Each structure stands twice: as C-alpha cells, then as structure tokens.
C-alpha cells in the first residue's frame, strides 16, 4: 500500500486478545446495584472493552482541587474482575458548572458575537488559558490514579473534537489568531500578499489590527476565513497534544487516542490528515445519515477514509448505534440484521472490532431516545439478541485481527480544499465538494472497487486508478504530484472546479484549471453553472449519451482528446469529457455533473485504461472486501440486498462465522455477512 501523509500509528490494540466489542459505559447514570447486572450482561454478550469516564469531570472533581475517584475505582475494578478492559477517558469535553461559574470567558463566542451558555457538551473555547490549565490538571490526576491498572487498555482524550463547536471568536481567540498568523506568515507584507488585502482596501499595518472573521456586512475575506479554520483546528489539536503528552509521561506504554468523525456527512471542521499523525491508534465514530440514500455506501466510505487516515493500519470503530439515533429529524430503527451487517462492514474495511454508544440506554438527558446495547426493553428484545449474536460473531473472527484491508484504487481528498470552498462568492451555491466525493465514491463502490483515500501530495504510485472528485485548492506541489503519477503510468480522473486556487485561496496565474492544466492537457475559458432544474445532454462514444446538471464549462483541449461532447446548453458542441495521454498514463477530465449512468461509463473507460478488470460476476449491493495478514487472506462478503447472492471464490477456504468449508462459490443469504478465511 502506498505511503500516506499520515504516519502509521505507534501502537496496536495488543492489550485485547481478539477483536474489540463493547461501547460507552456511563455507570454514573445508574445506582450501584445496576452495575453488577451490567457486568453480568457484558459477559453474556461477549463484551471485552468499554469506554468509561468521558463525561465525568463534575463527579471526579466536584469542586476545584477536590477529587473523588472512589466510584470510578469501584467501576474499573468491577470491570477488571469480569474480564472487561477499559478505554479510560480524560473528561475534558465537559467541564463542570463550577468551572464555568469561575471562568465564564471559557464559554465560546459565535461569529455573531453571542456567547454560549452552560448546559450541553463541548462548549469550550480551546484558546482559554483557564480551560487549558484545568484540563491539564484533571488529566494528570486521572493518569496518576489509573496508570498501571490492569484493566487499562487505551486512553481516550476528550470526545469528538469539533462537535458541536470548533471555532470561537472571542478576544482571547483573536489574540491567539494573531500569534498563529505571525508564526505562519512572518512579516505583515507576506500576510497581506497571501490574503490579497489590496482588494477592498483591507491592508494591515499591524497584527493588532487583525480580528477573527466575525460577522461583516458583506463577504468576508475568504483567505482570512480559510486561515481561521486552520487556526481553530490547530488550537484543538494543541489541546489534544497537551493531554496526550501528560498521559504518555505518566502512563507509558498505553496507547492514546481520541474518537474521530471522519465521515464527510458528520464533521467538516477537522483536518484528519493532520490528526492522524498525533494519535497512537486511530479510532472513529460513525452514524448512519438517514436521508433516503444508500446508507451502507456512506458507511463504507467513512471506513475507507478512517483506514486511510490511519495510514492503512488497522483502526477501531469506537462508536456506532445498535438501532436508531435521536439527533436527526427522523430516526428510524435499524432493520433486523442491519446492526451486525454495519459492524462487520467496518471490520471488513480495517476496524479491529465494533463498539457502540452506548451500553445501557439512558432514562434521562438529551440522548434518552438514542439506541443502546441494553435498550429500555432490556434483554427480551431483538436488539439485545442481535447484540449477543454479534459478540459471538466477532469472537469467531478473532484471527482477522492485525490483517490489513487491500485497496484497488484511490480517491484524493483534502479538508483544506473543502474549507476553502465553504466561503461565499463561489460560482454556484449548488456545487458541494462532499456531494462530488459521495457521487464518485458510490460509482467506484458499484464497480466493486475498494478505495483508499490519499492526501493530494501523498505517494500515489501503488494505485492503478486515482480519482479527484473535488480539489478546488490545489498546491503546485499537489499538481506536480498528480502529473508525475500520470507520467509514470497512472490513470487519473478529475472532476470540474479542481486545480483552481493555491494554499492561500488565490487563483493560480493563467487559465483554469490552474495547477492541473498540464496534466489534463486543456484549459477552461469560463464556467457556466446551470440553474436549478436545468439539464444538458452529453454524447459519448458508440452512441452513448447521458444527462448532466448543475455545471458546464467551455473546455479548450490542448493535447487532450474529446471523448464526450455537450449536445446542448451553454457549452453545446464543446468537449464535456476529455482524455489526455501523458507519458505512460492517461488523465481524464469530467467538466459537468453527469448522471449516475454517465459517471459509471466514464469510470468504466478509465478502469480499462488502468488495467483493472470488471467484476461483472458480483451482484449489486454485495460488497466483497479482502483483508490480508500473516495468517493469510480473509474475504468479507456483505450482502446489503434483499436477495440471496452467490459469489465466486478464487480458492477454497473456511467460512469463519459458520465453520463451513467453502469451495468454488459462496452463498450469502439476504442481508447476511460471510467471512472466508484460509482453508483449515
């Protein structure tokens, strides 16, 4: 697997004998007599890891400098007695009421100048000196108290950085922003050049004149907004590092993590390429977004992205749901078998287990209707029966641990480019980078390709096919990296509105698409975004055609050949899809938003260029993913359809969940998962 920009994590989950199974455990919500019932049920379900203490700061430090670990000692000891390991949290996502009473300035301020109130979670100004000092103190107290405890398997810092607040716009943050800018840009002349402050007379003569991009009467400087997103992300990461380093010093040898939310549908404020370098083990939270789409495709995409942030190494699904959640407009229950199918799909794509939020469903609070491993109905429920069955299934898959998922292709993604496109003043409000990534990923998924994600400047040489769905911000280094990839024999597919600006959100000199002109062999005279409901027809080879909407361009080939043309609309007669032979490879450009059939047709041709064989023998909505390790290969077959599937097998083997020997082909019932390991 090619090297990603993130370094491989330094630790594995070696403190667990097999795949992890469990969830967030919040015993402080229940009387102690329930705890004995909890550990008994955990043993029945096969739970071997729980996350503890995430929201417990107010109990661990009921008043400043006064600590009470007695209740948590009893919990951790009880779990250890019953063979359950602990992912122990620093409770810094939820400072106590007494802290905010003493330090109201630690509550974040919105861009509009409104200060949030206490009463939720994650209401933190990450630049507050008082918060940073208090967080360091409680982290050190927890670390000293539990370092060396035999139940401790993993340290869990904070919780879901970036949710619900990532950026604060208070005066403390303004001062921190100025210091960060001075470190980043140096002399003010460099900042003025980077931000283009000659426009609208915004030139600065002192760093003290610079504020966060607060609410302005017109469009705020997009380069300033981009740098503020970087600053806010860096401030959160600095706080994580401070806690991580305390834990490393006081509890050496125990891996430290924090739970990511890599799905593009869940978090857009965190640069996970940067965060992946900071944790010892990458962990992720994922929840189905029930917007009417194929939720299992979003799940696969999030798992692939998480694995890529981990540099290809195994990672851990730290949270997902047993059934419905409570925070969407409509929260349907998962269908029978869907929980196990979701869990094992994550394992197929590199997770070393499956954990949930949460163990026992709450009776109070804002998440009382969020599903749990032990629902309100208790053990006489379908959810509980499926939980215990999943625990047994994960135990049967223990030998998969440590193996790595094998990818077929790569997709280039960059959070900084996403941030840059969120500013006002874009050619069309309908263009969304997330939508382009979702669309191309779904097309690759339907071609039965397993996808790695890669930073634009990462080594791509090991991938025969690379797709760039939305790279508006493209550095010169990234452009050169993609050109070199194609020249050396790679096949590249690039979607519209890519290559446009540099790292400061300044348009590259010369015609669009800027940093990608040479590799694509074309220029773009102008964009012609389409109006809502407006479509155009594009014609391809051999009489094929497709509908397209939202975007069109005036493309001028400069070495590229025209493969598809606009039949009508503002770009009628011009190239819609091009192919540029460059060195030993080829670069494709798609200048409009084609329908699913058109996108699939382009990718089919690019796949042929890349020498990737079609998998016509695999049914629709049946994913086949391979993990490989020292013990051999493991083929995960996940049937998301309502029909039985028959999947050809390259070799004979043993189906690990049923123990049956397989040869020739594998039968997978509707909605089921099968995992074929080496022949026994």
């Amino acid at each position: 697997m090619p090297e990603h920009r993130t370094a491989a994590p330094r630790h594995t989950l070696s403190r667990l004998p097999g795949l992890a199974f469990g969830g967030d455990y919040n015993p402080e919500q229940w009387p102690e007599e329930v705890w004995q019932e909890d550990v008994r049920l955990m043993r029945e379900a096969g739970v071997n890891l729980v996350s503890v203490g995430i929201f417990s700061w107010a109990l661990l430090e009921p008043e400043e400098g006064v600590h009470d670990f007695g209740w948590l000692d009893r919990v951790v000891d009880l779990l250890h007695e019953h063979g359950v390991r602990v992912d122990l949290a620093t409770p810094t996502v939820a400072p106590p009421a007494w802290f905010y009473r003493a330090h109201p300035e630690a509550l974040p301020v919105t861009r509009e100048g409104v200060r949030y109130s206490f009463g939720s979670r994650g209401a933190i100004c990450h630049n507050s000196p008082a918060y940073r000092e208090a967080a360091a103190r409680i982290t050190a107290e927890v670390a000293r108290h539990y370092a060396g405890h035999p139940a401790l398997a993993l340290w869990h810092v904070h919780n879901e950085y970036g949710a619900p607040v990532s950026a604060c716009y208070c005066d403390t943050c303004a001062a921190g922003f100025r210091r960060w800018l001075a470190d980043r840009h140096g002399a003010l002349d460099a900042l003025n050049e980077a931000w283009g402050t000659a426009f609208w007379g915004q030139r600065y003569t002192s760093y003290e004149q610079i504020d966060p991009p607060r609410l302005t009467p017109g469009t705020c400087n997009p380069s300033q907004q981009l740098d503020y997103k970087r600053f806010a992300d860096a401030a959160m990461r600095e706080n994580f590092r401070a806690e991580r380093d305390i834990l490393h010093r006081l509890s050496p040898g125990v891996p430290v993590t924090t739970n990511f939310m890599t799905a593009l549908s869940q978090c857009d404020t965190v640069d996970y390429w940067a965060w992946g370098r900071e944790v010892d083990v990458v962990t992720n939270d994922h929840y189905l977004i029930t917007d009417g789409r194929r939720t299992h495709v979003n799940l696969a995409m999030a798992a692939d992205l998480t694995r890529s942030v981990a540099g290809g190494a195994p990672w851990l699904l730290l949270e997902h749901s047993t059934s419905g959640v409570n925070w969407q407009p409509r929260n349907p229950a998962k269908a029978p078998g869907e929980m196990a199918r979701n869990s094992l799909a994550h394992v197929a794509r590199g997770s070393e287990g499956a954990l949930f939020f949460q163990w026992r469903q709450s009776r109070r609070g804002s998440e009382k209707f969020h599903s749990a491993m032990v629902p309100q109905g208790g053990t006489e429920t379908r959810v509980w029966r499926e939980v215990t069955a999943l625990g047994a299934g994960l135990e049967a898959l223990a030998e998969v641990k440590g193996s790595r998922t094998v990818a077929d292709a790569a997709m280039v993604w960059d959070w900084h480019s996403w941030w840059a496109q969120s500013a006002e003043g874009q050619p069309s409000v309908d263009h969304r980078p997330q939508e382009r990534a979702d669309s191309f990923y779904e097309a690759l998924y339907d071609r039965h390709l397993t996808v790695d994600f890669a930073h634009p400047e990462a080594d791509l040489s090991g991938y025969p096919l690379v797709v760039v769905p939305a790279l508006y911000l493209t550095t010169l280094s990234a452009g050169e990296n993609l050109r070199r990839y194609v020249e050396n024999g790679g096949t590249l597919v690039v979607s519209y509105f890519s290559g446009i600006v540099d790292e400061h959100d300044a348009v590259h000199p010369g015609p669009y698409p800027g940093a990608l002109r040479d590799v694509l062999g074309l220029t773009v005279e102008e964009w012609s975004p389409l109006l809502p409901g407006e479509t155009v027809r594009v014609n391809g080879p051999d009489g094929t055609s497709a509908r397209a909407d939202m975007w069109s361009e005036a493309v001028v080939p400069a070495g590229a050949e025209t493969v598809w043309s606009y039949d009508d609309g503002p770009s009628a007669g011009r190239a819609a899809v091009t192919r540029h032979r460059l060195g030993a490879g080829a670069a494709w450009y798609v200048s409009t938003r084609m329908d699913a059939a058109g996108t699939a047709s382009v990718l089919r041709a690019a796949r042929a260029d890349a020498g990737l064989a079609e998998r016509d023998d695999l049914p629709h909505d049946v994913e086949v993913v391979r993990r490989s390790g020292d013990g051999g290969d493991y083929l995960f077959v996940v049937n998301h359809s309502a029909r039985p599937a028959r999947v050809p097998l390259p070799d004979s083997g043993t189906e690990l969940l049923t123990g049956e020997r397989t040869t020739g082909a594998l039968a997978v019932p509707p909605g089921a998962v099968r995992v074929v390991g080496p022949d026994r």
Side-chain angles (χ1 to χ4, degrees):
M1 174 180 190
E3 180 184 6
H4 285 255
R5 193 172 178 177
T6 51
R10 294 184 293 269
H11 294 268
T12 63
L13 294 170
S14 57
R15 292 170 175 246
L16 292 176
L19 298 178
F21 182 55
D24 282 24
Y25 183 39
N26 298 290
E28 61 270 33
Q29 298 179 15
W30 301 91
E32 288 202 31
E33 55 265 26
V34 176
W35 301 356
Q36 292 290 340
E37 174 74 357
D38 283 335
V39 293
R40 183 186 69 78
L41 292 177
M42 287 179 189
R43 293 187 67 173
E44 181 179 327
V47 167
N48 59 13
L49 180 68
V50 293
S51 301
V52 178
I54 296 172
F55 300 104
S56 301
W57 194 343
L59 294 178
L60 296 175
E61 191 177 11
E63 55 184 288
E64 185 171 5
V66 177
H67 298 97
D68 178 10
F69 292 104
W71 69 274
L72 187 54
D73 287 346
R74 295 192 295 278
V75 168
V76 174
D77 289 346
L78 184 63
L79 291 167
H80 176 59
E81 290 170 14
H82 289 78
V84 180
R85 307 301 295 274
V86 171
D87 166 39
L88 187 57
T90 64
T92 52
V93 71
W98 62 256
F99 170 80
Y100 285 122
R101 179 64 64 178
H103 302 285
E105 77 283 357
L107 287 163
V109 174
T110 69
R111 190 182 178 195
E112 294 78 15
V114 177
R115 189 178 295 278
Y116 286 113
S117 297
F118 175 77
S120 181
R121 61 158 185 160
I124 296 165
C125 168
H126 281 276
N127 291 285
S128 164
Y131 169 76
R132 290 184 171 192
E133 292 169 9
R137 286 197 304 270
I138 189 63
T139 296
E141 291 291 338
V142 172
R144 290 191 189 97
H145 195 85
Y146 292 102
H149 195 289
L152 184 61
L154 189 66
W155 283 110
H156 181 309
V157 171
H158 202 268
N159 184 71
E160 295 182 339
Y161 280 98
V165 178
S166 59
C168 170
Y169 295 81
C170 71
D171 289 341
T172 299
C173 289
F177 185 43
R178 295 176 194 121
R179 292 190 295 271
W180 183 88
L181 290 171
D183 289 341
R184 178 176 178 84
H185 294 282
L188 268 172
D189 286 347
L191 179 139
N192 281 306
E193 175 65 21
W195 283 12
T197 57
F199 183 79
W200 281 359
Q202 296 174 5
R203 185 172 181 81
Y204 298 102
T205 57
S206 166
Y207 272 108
E208 293 305 310
Q209 298 166 358
I210 301 175
D211 283 325
R214 294 167 175 150
L215 190 64
T216 55
T219 303
C220 185
N221 188 323
S223 301
Q224 180 184 6
Q225 293 185 65
L226 176 58
D227 264 355
Y228 203 73
K229 290 178 183 292
R230 290 167 170 152
F231 161 72
D233 179 58
M236 292 190 294
R237 201 160 60 249
E238 183 178 350
N239 285 350
F240 168 78
R241 281 197 298 264
E243 295 187 40
R244 178 203 64 192
D245 292 349
I246 291 170
L247 296 170
H248 279 168
R249 175 169 53 84
L250 297 178
S251 182
V254 180
V256 180
T257 191
T258 185
N259 43 339
F260 294 167
M261 294 179 293
T262 63
L264 305 185
S265 55
Q266 290 179 223
C267 184
D268 63 355
T269 60
V270 175
D271 176 7
Y272 286 116
W273 293 128
W275 282 79
R277 297 193 294 270
E278 303 292 352
V279 297
D280 296 329
V281 175
V282 167
T283 63
N284 193 54
D285 296 352
H286 181 264
Y287 293 95
L288 301 182
I289 304 300
T290 51
D291 60 357
R293 293 183 295 174
R294 298 157 72 201
T295 55
H296 56 277
V297 180
N298 175 275
L299 185 157
M301 183 175 176
D304 283 345
L305 185 50
T306 306
R307 180 186 68 252
S308 302
V309 166
W315 53 280
L316 179 61
L317 176 66
L318 208 54
E319 286 185 27
H320 70 314
S321 67
T322 57
S323 191
V325 297
N326 73 298
W327 40 263
Q328 299 182 82
R330 297 163 190 84
N331 299 286
K334 290 186 176 180
E338 188 175 3
M339 176 183 65
R341 194 163 63 250
N342 290 167
S343 302
L344 297 179
H346 282 289
V347 174
R349 295 176 186 272
S351 178
E352 296 285 66
L355 282 77
F356 297 89
F357 180 86
Q358 59 181 323
W359 164 251
R360 183 178 286 274
Q361 192 168 10
S362 301
R363 291 185 56 229
R364 300 174 177 85
S366 63
E367 292 187 295
K368 59 182 175 291
F369 298 128
H370 191 295
S371 61
M373 299 175 78
V374 182
Q376 304 288 11
T379 58
E380 299 301 320
T381 58
R382 174 180 65 85
V383 166
W384 174 252
R385 290 190 291 272
E386 291 193 9
V387 163
T388 58
L390 176 60
L394 288 170
E395 185 176 357
L397 298 179
E399 66 183 84
V400 171
K401 183 179 179 182
S403 61
R404 293 192 173 208
T405 302
V406 179
D408 303 298
M411 181 176 285
V412 168
W413 183 256
D414 182 33
W415 279 273
H416 291 234
S417 179
W418 193 9
W419 296 344
Q421 290 181 77
S422 65
E424 307 93 336
Q426 302 295 314
S428 173
V429 297
D430 298 320
H431 170 66
R432 296 185 301 111
Q434 177 192 333
E435 183 277 330
R436 288 289 78 203
D438 287 344
S439 177
F440 275 96
Y441 182 90
E442 186 167 8
L444 293 168
Y445 179 97
D446 284 341
R447 305 258 67 75
H448 300 288
L449 295 174
T450 302
V451 178
D452 278 343
F453 285 77
H455 186 275
E457 297 177 18
D459 176 16
L460 303 171
S461 60
Y463 300 107
L465 176 65
V466 171
V467 176
V468 179
L471 197 61
Y472 162 77
L473 188 158
T474 309
T475 64
L476 292 177
S477 295
E480 173 62 21
N481 187 49
L482 294 172
R483 183 191 62 78
R484 187 167 54 248
Y485 164 75
V486 174
E487 286 183 333
N488 290 334
T491 300
L492 182 71
V493 179
V494 178
S495 185
Y496 58 84
F497 206 44
S498 294
I500 308 303
V501 301
D502 66 11
E503 61 270 30
H504 304 300
D505 200 27
V507 175
H508 286 290
Y512 308 131
L516 299 179
R517 280 194 305 265
D518 292 343
V519 67
L520 296 175
L522 55 83
T523 62
V524 175
E525 288 186 356
E526 59 182 347
W527 304 305
S528 294
L530 303 177
L531 301 179
E534 186 179 6
T535 65
V536 295
R537 180 176 294 279
V538 289
N539 295 328
D542 301 322
T544 57
S545 66
R547 301 303 298 181
D549 67 355
M550 206 277 290
W551 191 274
S552 68
E553 295 182 345
V555 174
V556 180
E561 61 178 301
T562 299
V563 184
W564 292 67
S565 300
Y566 290 100
D567 184 59
D568 54 14
S571 301
R574 289 182 175 268
V577 178
T578 62
R579 177 176 179 268
H580 185 216
R581 296 178 183 270
L582 183 65
W588 292 74
Y589 183 62
V590 183
S591 70
T592 185
R593 188 168 76 175
M594 302 177 75
D595 61 22
T599 301
S601 182
V602 171
L603 286 177
R604 188 177 301 112
R607 181 173 184 157
D609 270 354
L612 288 168
E614 288 285 341
R615 294 299 308 273
D616 296 330
D617 54 349
L618 297 180
H620 184 66
D621 274 341
V622 176
E623 58 184 88
V624 179
V625 182
R626 181 163 58 96
R627 287 183 63 155
S628 183
D630 293 340
D633 287 354
Y634 300 91
L635 200 68
F636 284 73
V637 182
V638 186
N639 186 357
H640 296 285
S641 77
R643 300 175 301 278
R646 188 171 178 81
V647 175
L649 296 175
D651 302 296
S652 61
T654 301
E655 203 290 301
L656 301 181
L657 296 173
T658 64
E660 297 175 358
R661 190 173 184 276
T662 61
T663 183
L666 178 69
V668 186
V673 180
R674 294 292 182 262
V675 183
V676 179
D679 208 353
R680 296 289 182 260

